[in-house]
């Protein structure tokens, strides 16, 4: 009876007609993949981008249709589309997805594989001073999305502003942060993207009437409904629509030396030397605003090297590069009236303007300022020439800070419109400016673009976001997995945090170490903080330094695995960090962010509270899980209190996984996949297993498309008395085949094998009876396959 009531309730929820004044006119026409439907107050244009992506536009009578989108880049697929008019309704469908237009009372509904996904409730309508689009929800849906926020995984029940804004020193709750997006993801495996840039709101059923409402000050009345059979297919479809993330350079998976900030060349050199002395790996150094001025205030916008503090910047950058350390510089879009570039920026007319056409100036924390108008072609060109000059000096990465923009008065005018119309896309288009500059001037290089703000689809410009000025407290750490997981579900898979926390002079070594241990399994490993307490492990207490070093070394050992995640993200839009419910549909997991999957094979449970001697870990069902550090085995589908250690956070590997680990290098410059350990986690429940490992030179743009790659393929077959493991390689036409020296380490072998053969030749092996591990040295040339047979 309860189930019947629930079904009736869901049906009743969706039956409500939308805007009661909207009347279907007997005029509709199909033109290819677009259906045009006339109603009394305007026109609908409904379009299939694919079998699983539908776009709906409403054009009020007084407006003209704009096809321009800041987010969507996909061209429609050539799919079979069917149109049928039954008299009562119009059906517009592909083989899997249906748009149903009920004529009276007028309503639009969306179905996937015969199941109702959502429907327009009021559809487009006016609401106070805003335009609005209202859709129906079912009562049981969990809602995600809306950008980067700290709200708990289920964002339903909130009305959330769409206005990128910094939140200094946030902890466990932040309703408004640097990176908002008009995207909502449902636990029913569909997404709705409201394709419009101006500021507004997303109301995720705050009035508890099963409604999803988008509000905006102006612009397009356009949204896409994206569906998928799995979470991975859903994200693949969404990132097809808005763009795939280019592969980041491999060095950016390494450790960063960063703080706010290094005041001089001498301090910077001494810091990198200290990393070398302690043998702590480091791949990049980030220079905050002191590279262009002695003081925090009054110098922003100089955007040229302050030679009093950095007398030999070009040589320093060159020296670091020889040591395998890349230099990344901060930049901001503000030109202060006291800066060296003010007169030039003013004379060239590249700043946002007031109504009289003069530079719009205003005060904020750093001084009296103007804002670069990147929507003015001259402003765009001027800004890129700054970057080009720095790039030609040897700088290898750029940090775009304050790009919300942090202070952006509504009366400021850009070349394309008002501040409020472009506010949320300023960081997005700033990243595009750098990305396009690289494509023109450095087409074979991958850019590193660190940005605090952006928009839907910013991933396609290589944008790497971080979670802003988080407080250096346990509360600050606790919100980070949620923020990263949510952003990964919205296409921005490199969301990460200032490891150790940014804001406040809180010296807590336990917190610092736990944050860095979590950082091993987040996309970018970048400790960064205000300088009152050092962010670099080399300046922490001996115990914290030793534990941090151990975490950083593990990060480097995982380079092959992590780089493969970069490739998966580039090809399929898969996040690096993945919610547990991607693999296990247990209802309680839909609101869980305390544990997550790192790629396909790692289960991570970060320690988010002080003095944790035990931690409850849920093990996803349908798999067995090995403790990464002890090989202790856990059965999936249950929770367990596990004991914690100072040395690491709870980390588990899925049975049947192949995990490649390399030797520790001090910089990725010395990284090589010619020699590595390949760990196979054998369990009787896994009869067959397959994994792939992508590799290229780590720096060339579009290496895969240029066929400059290798994909190593590992497979296993297990029988009662034997295990066979096969190694194969797919080699791009422009990549050299090579010889690999591999230590194949097979876990969970409880007795010494009778023999081991490689390609039918008996080989030596070692078996550790205490660890139950089998080690087989393998010489493998990737031009041929290699089969290892283990007789148990």
């Amino acid at each position: 009876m309860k189930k019947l009531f629930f079904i009736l309730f869901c049906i009743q929820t969706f039956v409500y007609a939308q805007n009661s004044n909207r009347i279907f006119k007997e005029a509709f026409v199909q033109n290819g993949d677009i259906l045009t439907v006339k109603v009394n107050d305007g026109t609908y244009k409904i379009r299939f981008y694919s079998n699983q992506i539908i776009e709906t536009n409403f054009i009020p009578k007084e407006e003209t249709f704009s096809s321009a989108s800041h987010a969507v880049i996909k061209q429609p697929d050539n799919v079979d589309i069917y149109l049928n008019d039954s008299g009562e309704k119009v059906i517009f469908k592909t083989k899997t997805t249906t748009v149903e237009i009920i004529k009276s009372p007028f309503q639009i509904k969306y179905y996937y594989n015969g199941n109702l996904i959502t429907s327009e409730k009021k559809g487009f309508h006016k609401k106070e001073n805003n335009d609005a689009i209202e859709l129906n929800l079912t009562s049981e849906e969990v809602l995600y999305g809306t950008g980067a926020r700290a709200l708990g995984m289920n964002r339903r029940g909130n009305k959330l502003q769409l206005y990128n804004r910094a939140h200094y020193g946030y902890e466990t709750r932040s309703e408004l942060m640097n990176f908002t997006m008009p995207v909502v993801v449902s636990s029913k495996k569909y997404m709705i993207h409201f394709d419009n840039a101006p500021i507004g709101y997303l109301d995720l059923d705050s009035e508890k009437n099963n409604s999803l409402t988008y509000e905006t000050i102006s612009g397009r009345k356009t949204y896409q409904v994206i569906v998928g059979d799995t979470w991975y297919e859903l994200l693949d479809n969404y990132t097809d629509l808005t763009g795939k993330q280019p592969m980041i350079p491999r060095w950016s998976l390494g450790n960063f030396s960063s703080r706010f900030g290094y005041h001089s060349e001498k301090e910077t050199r001494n810091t990198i030397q200290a990393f070398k002395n302690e043998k702590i790996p480091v791949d990049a150094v980030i220079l905050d605003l002191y590279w262009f001025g002695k003081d925090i205030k009054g110098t922003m916008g100089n955007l040229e090297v302050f030679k009093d503090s950095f007398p030999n910047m070009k040589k320093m950058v060159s020296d670091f590069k020889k040591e395998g350390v890349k230099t990344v510089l901060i930049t901001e879009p503000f030109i202060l009236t006291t800066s060296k570039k003010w007169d030039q920026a003013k004379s060239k007319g590249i700043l946002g303007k007031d109504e009289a056409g003069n530079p719009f100036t205003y005060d904020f924390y750093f001084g009296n300022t103007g804002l670069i108008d990147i929507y003015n072609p001259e402003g765009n060109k001027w800004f890129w020439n700054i970057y080009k000059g720095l790039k030609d000096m040897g700088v290898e990465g750029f940090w775009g800070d304050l790009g919300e923009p942090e202070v952006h008065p509504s009366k400021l005018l850009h070349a394309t419109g008002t501040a409020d119309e472009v506010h949320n896309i300023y960081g997005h288009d700033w990243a595009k400016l750098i990305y396009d500059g690289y494509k023109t001037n450095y087409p074979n290089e991958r850019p590193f673009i660190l940005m605090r703000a952006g928009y839907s689809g910013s991933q396609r410009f290589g944008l790497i976001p971080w979670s802003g000025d988080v407080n250096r407290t346990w509360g600050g750490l606790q919100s980070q997995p949620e923020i990263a997981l949510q952003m990964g579900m919205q296409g921005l898979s490199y969301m990460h945090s200032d490891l150790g926390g940014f804001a406040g002079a809180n010296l807590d070594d336990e917190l610092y170490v736990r944050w860095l241990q979590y950082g091993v399994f987040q996309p970018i490993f970048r400790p960064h903080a205000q300088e009152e307490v050092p962010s670099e492990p080399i300046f922490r207490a001996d115990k914290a330094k030793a534990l941090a070093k151990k975490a950083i070394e593990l990060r480097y050992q995982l380079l092959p695995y992590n780089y493969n995640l970069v490739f998966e993200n580039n090809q399929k839009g898969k996040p690096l960090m993945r919610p547990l419910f991607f693999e296990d549909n247990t209802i309680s997991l839909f609101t869980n962010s305390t544990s997550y999957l790192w790629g396909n094979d790692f289960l991570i449970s970060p320690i988010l509270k002080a003095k944790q001697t035990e931690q409850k870990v849920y093990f996803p069902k349908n798999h067995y899980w090995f403790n990464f550090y002890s090989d202790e085995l856990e059965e999936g589908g249950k929770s367990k209190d596990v004991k914690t250690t100072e040395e690491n956070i709870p980390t588990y590997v899925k049975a049947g996984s192949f995990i490649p680990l390399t030797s520790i290098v001090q910089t990725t410059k010395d990284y090589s996949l010619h020699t590595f350990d390949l760990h196979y986690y054998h369990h009787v429940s896994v009869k067959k297993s397959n994994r792939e490992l992508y590799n290229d030179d780590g720096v060339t743009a579009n290496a895969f498309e240029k066929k400059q790659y290798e994909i190593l393929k590992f497979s296993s077959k297990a029988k009662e008395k034997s295990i066979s493991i096969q190694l194969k390689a797919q080699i791009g036409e422009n990549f050299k085949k090579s010889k690999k020296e591999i230590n194949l380490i097979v876990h969970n072998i409880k007795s010494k094998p009778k023999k081991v053969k490689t390609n039918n030749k008996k080989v030596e092996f070692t078996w550790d009876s205490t660890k139950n591990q089998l080690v087989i040295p393998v010489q493998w040339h990737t031009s041929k396959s290699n089969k290892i047979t283990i007789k148990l």
Side-chain angles (χ1 to χ4, degrees):
M1 188 66 183
K2 285 184 179 179
K3 184 175 181 181
L4 178 60
F5 173 79
F6 174 74
I7 292 170
L8 290 172
F9 177 80
C10 292
I11 292 172
Q12 185 181 23
T13 299
F14 278 127
V15 162
Y16 292 135
Q18 61 192 72
N19 191 330
S20 58
N21 296 320
R22 187 156 294 142
I23 300 170
F24 177 87
K25 291 193 170 183
E26 295 296 330
F28 62 91
V29 62
Q30 180 185 354
N31 184 10
D33 51 29
I34 299 175
L35 177 67
T36 301
V37 178
K38 297 282 187 180
V39 291
N40 62 307
D41 58 344
T43 302
Y44 279 94
K45 287 185 179 292
I46 302 170
R47 183 179 207 177
F48 281 101
Y49 277 90
S50 73
N51 282 315
Q52 297 174 308
I53 304 172
I54 317 140
E55 178 178 273
T56 297
N57 299 273
F58 182 75
I59 307 99
K61 269 188 174 180
E62 66 276 10
E63 297 184 17
T64 56
F65 176 60
S66 171
S67 61
S69 171
H70 295 278
V72 171
I73 61 167
K74 180 179 173 60
Q75 294 300 311
D77 293 341
N78 184 19
V79 297
D80 292 329
I81 299 174
Y82 308 92
L83 179 66
N84 180 57
D85 181 4
S86 70
E88 296 180 352
K89 56 192 175 184
V90 176
I91 302 295
F92 190 51
K93 63 179 290 187
T94 68
K95 65 180 181 180
T96 58
T97 308
T98 300
V99 184
E100 182 181 272
I101 303 162
I102 300 173
K103 296 181 181 180
S104 182
F106 185 82
Q107 189 177 33
I108 298 177
K109 297 181 177 182
Y110 302 93
Y111 295 82
Y112 182 57
N113 289 329
N115 298 312
L116 185 59
I117 297 298
T118 188
S119 63
E120 289 198 352
K121 195 167 190 177
K122 288 187 178 178
F124 167 74
H125 62 286
K126 294 287 186 180
K127 186 173 183 179
E128 299 167 358
N129 297 321
N130 289 340
D131 295 337
I133 299 172
E134 186 174 359
L135 301 168
N136 279 309
L137 298 168
T138 53
S139 58
E140 81 280 8
E141 288 178 75
V142 177
L143 299 180
Y144 314 95
T146 76
R149 310 181 194 254
L151 298 170
M153 282 296 279
N154 188 2
R155 297 183 169 180
R156 188 166 183 161
N158 292 285
K159 182 175 182 179
L160 300 169
Q161 191 175 5
L162 294 170
Y163 188 89
N164 293 350
R165 176 175 290 158
H167 183 171
Y168 177 82
Y170 72 91
E171 293 187 331
T172 56
R173 186 167 181 88
S174 180
E175 293 188 8
L176 190 62
M177 292 175 63
N178 315 75
F179 209 121
T180 66
M181 288 193 287
V183 179
V184 178
V185 187
S186 168
S187 56
K188 290 171 61 178
K189 296 192 188 73
Y190 73 86
M191 301 174 73
I192 297 178
H193 174 241
F194 296 95
D195 190 3
N196 188 46
I199 63 174
Y201 290 88
L202 270 174
D203 189 334
L204 281 64
D205 198 30
S206 66
E207 297 181 8
K208 302 190 185 313
N209 61 353
N210 295 319
S211 294
L212 169 64
T213 306
Y214 168 73
E215 297 180 34
T216 182
I217 59 168
S218 64
R220 285 158 37 103
K221 291 77 182 170
T222 300
Y223 63 91
Q224 293 94 26
V225 178
I226 306 105
V227 295
D229 290 329
T230 68
W231 288 104
Y232 298 114
E233 186 176 58
L234 178 65
L235 285 175
D236 193 16
N237 290 335
Y238 174 71
T239 51
D240 275 350
L241 182 70
T242 59
K244 293 289 197 287
Q245 177 107 19
M247 290 193 69
I248 61 174
R250 183 158 43 220
W251 64 261
S252 55
L253 294 174
N255 177 36
F256 286 73
S257 176
S258 182
R259 67 159 64 180
F260 179 34
Y262 300 117
H263 293 257
S264 68
E265 180 179 334
K266 181 179 179 181
E267 183 183 27
T268 310
R269 285 184 179 273
N270 288 343
T271 300
I272 294 302
Q273 188 57 49
F275 274 96
K276 302 293 184 183
N277 294 343
E278 296 284 350
K279 289 186 168 44
I280 296 178
V282 62
D283 257 271
V285 61
I286 298 183
L287 299 185
D288 213 312
L289 47 73
Y290 297 114
W291 75 266
F292 54 69
K294 190 175 183 65
D295 301 309
I296 294 176
K297 298 184 179 182
T299 60
M300 185 174 290
N302 285 348
L303 295 175
E304 61 184 55
V305 177
F306 182 56
K307 292 188 177 180
D308 284 0
S309 299
F310 292 87
N312 300 295
M313 173 73 95
K314 186 172 183 179
K315 187 175 187 309
M316 183 188 79
V317 170
S318 176
D319 290 345
F320 283 166
K321 186 173 183 178
K322 291 173 185 175
E323 298 173 6
V325 177
K326 314 299 186 292
T327 302
V328 179
L329 298 186
I330 195 172
T331 56
E332 305 90 354
F334 297 95
I335 308 294
L336 300 189
T337 57
T338 55
S339 75
K340 294 180 180 180
K341 293 274 192 295
W342 173 256
D343 288 340
Q344 181 187 123
K346 182 179 178 182
S347 67
K348 287 184 174 294
I350 57 122
L351 301 167
K353 295 178 172 55
D354 61 20
E355 290 182 345
N358 299 313
F360 192 108
T361 58
Y362 52 98
D363 293 327
F364 81 137
Y365 175 80
F366 296 94
N368 186 255
T369 194
L371 178 68
I372 299 172
D373 186 3
I374 61 174
Y375 299 98
N376 175 344
E378 288 302 313
N380 191 294
K381 179 181 176 182
W382 183 88
F383 209 7
W384 169 246
N385 282 334
I386 297 289
Y387 287 110
K388 187 175 184 299
L390 297 171
K391 179 73 177 69
D392 291 344
M393 190 174 67
V395 172
E396 303 243 2
F398 297 107
W399 172 11
D401 200 14
L402 315 182
E404 295 76 26
E406 186 165 283
V407 181
H408 201 189
S410 295
K411 291 184 178 180
L412 184 151
L413 299 176
H414 290 274
T416 56
T418 68
D420 286 350
E421 288 174 316
V422 302
H423 177 81
N424 286 343
I425 55 170
Y426 190 96
H428 173 85
D429 288 322
W430 184 10
K432 181 180 186 298
L433 181 160
I434 300 172
Y435 179 73
D436 287 348
Y438 263 77
K439 284 178 68 176
T440 299
N441 295 107
Y442 315 101
N444 292 320
E445 294 186 41
R446 305 178 192 179
F448 176 83
I449 306 171
L450 183 67
M451 288 272 177
R452 200 168 74 172
Y455 181 68
S456 315
S458 290
Q459 70 276 355
R460 70 176 180 266
F461 304 129
L463 186 149
I464 295 174
W466 88 99
S467 60
D469 296 339
V470 59
N471 221 19
R472 202 177 335 206
T473 58
W474 288 99
L477 172 58
Q478 286 160 17
S479 61
Q480 297 312 305
E482 173 206 338
I483 293 169
L485 289 168
Q486 290 270 358
M487 288 292 276
M489 293 175 68
Q490 300 169 76
L492 276 296
S493 293
Y494 289 92
M495 173 56 80
H496 65 287
S497 61
D498 290 341
L499 297 182
F502 176 81
N506 179 19
L507 180 59
D508 184 334
D509 279 339
E510 183 191 7
L511 169 66
Y512 176 77
V513 168
R514 292 307 193 195
W515 211 317
L516 266 63
Q517 289 171 344
Y518 156 67
V520 173
F521 303 99
Q522 65 150 28
I524 302 293
F525 194 97
R526 188 183 56 82
H528 180 73
Q530 292 173 326
E531 62 186 329
E532 290 86 353
V533 175
S535 57
E536 308 93 336
I538 50 175
F539 299 127
R540 302 298 288 240
D542 286 346
K543 182 178 179 180
K545 178 167 59 178
L547 291 171
K549 179 180 181 181
K550 190 171 185 178
I552 293 167
E553 288 177 340
L554 176 58
R555 175 77 176 186
Y556 277 76
Q557 288 180 284
L558 285 165
L559 273 169
Y561 180 89
N562 293 349
Y563 194 63
N564 190 67
L565 299 186
V566 171
F567 179 66
E568 287 187 347
N569 173 258
N570 167 254
Q571 294 292 302
K572 296 293 184 182
K574 290 185 176 182
L576 285 72
M577 293 173 63
R578 305 168 187 177
L580 296 184
F581 61 78
F582 274 31
E583 298 285 340
D584 184 334
N585 60 3
T586 301
I587 291 175
S588 61
L589 297 181
F590 282 89
T591 55
N592 182 302
S593 63
T594 56
S595 295
Y596 61 91
L597 299 168
W598 178 242
N600 183 65
D601 295 320
F602 278 98
L603 168 64
I604 309 299
S605 185
I607 293 175
L608 306 175
K609 295 180 180 178
K611 312 298 181 188
Q612 288 278 96
T613 57
E614 282 191 338
Q615 177 138 302
K616 185 177 289 296
V617 177
Y618 175 80
F619 297 93
K621 63 186 180 183
N622 302 323
H623 300 287
Y624 283 84
W625 298 89
F626 288 86
N627 185 307
F628 181 60
Y629 304 102
S630 70
D631 269 7
E632 185 178 355
L633 193 62
E634 304 292 348
E635 185 178 356
K638 63 180 183 179
S639 297
K640 181 181 178 180
D641 291 324
V642 301
K643 292 190 181 300
T644 64
T645 69
E646 288 184 320
E647 287 76 18
N648 47 63
I649 58 176
T651 303
Y652 294 85
V653 179
K654 186 188 295 181
S657 298
F658 287 91
I659 303 295
L661 297 177
T662 61
S663 56
I664 298 163
V665 292
Q666 296 304 299
T667 165
T668 55
K669 180 184 178 183
D670 299 323
Y671 172 84
S672 171
L673 205 60
H674 292 309
T675 302
F676 64 97
D677 293 341
L678 181 62
H679 293 255
Y680 175 64
Y681 288 83
H682 166 67
H683 191 267
V684 292
S685 64
V686 182
K687 303 302 181 187
K688 293 182 179 180
S689 182
N690 296 279
R691 296 292 188 273
E692 294 186 351
L693 180 63
Y694 176 85
N695 184 45
D696 59 26
D697 67 5
V699 294
T700 300
N702 303 309
F704 179 70
E705 289 74 16
K706 294 172 181 174
K707 303 187 185 304
Q708 298 174 13
Y709 70 89
E710 62 181 354
I711 298 176
L712 310 183
K713 301 184 178 186
F714 315 127
S715 63
S716 70
K717 290 183 180 179
K719 298 180 180 178
E720 185 178 354
K721 295 295 183 180
S722 69
I723 304 167
S724 63
I725 294 174
Q726 191 158 36
L727 313 178
K728 291 183 177 181
Q730 175 185 325
I731 311 294
E733 291 176 11
N734 300 315
F735 197 84
K736 188 177 180 180
K737 298 177 176 68
S738 63
K739 182 180 178 182
K740 310 287 186 186
E741 294 186 3
I742 300 172
N743 272 331
L744 176 61
I745 303 169
V746 185
H747 295 246
N748 198 30
I749 302 299
K750 296 179 181 178
S751 59
K752 186 177 181 179
K754 294 178 180 177
K755 59 183 174 182
V756 174
K757 289 184 176 182
T758 298
N759 292 333
N760 289 321
K761 292 182 180 179
K762 191 174 179 181
V763 295
E764 297 297 320
F765 63 89
T766 58
W767 174 68
D768 189 325
S769 60
T770 58
K771 295 181 179 180
N772 290 334
Q773 288 182 9
L774 172 66
V775 181
I776 308 167
V778 177
Q779 301 277 332
W780 175 39
H781 200 286
T782 55
S783 59
K784 300 178 181 179
S785 64
N786 202 329
K787 185 175 182 180
I788 300 97
T789 305
I790 303 163
K791 291 291 185 181
L792 300 175

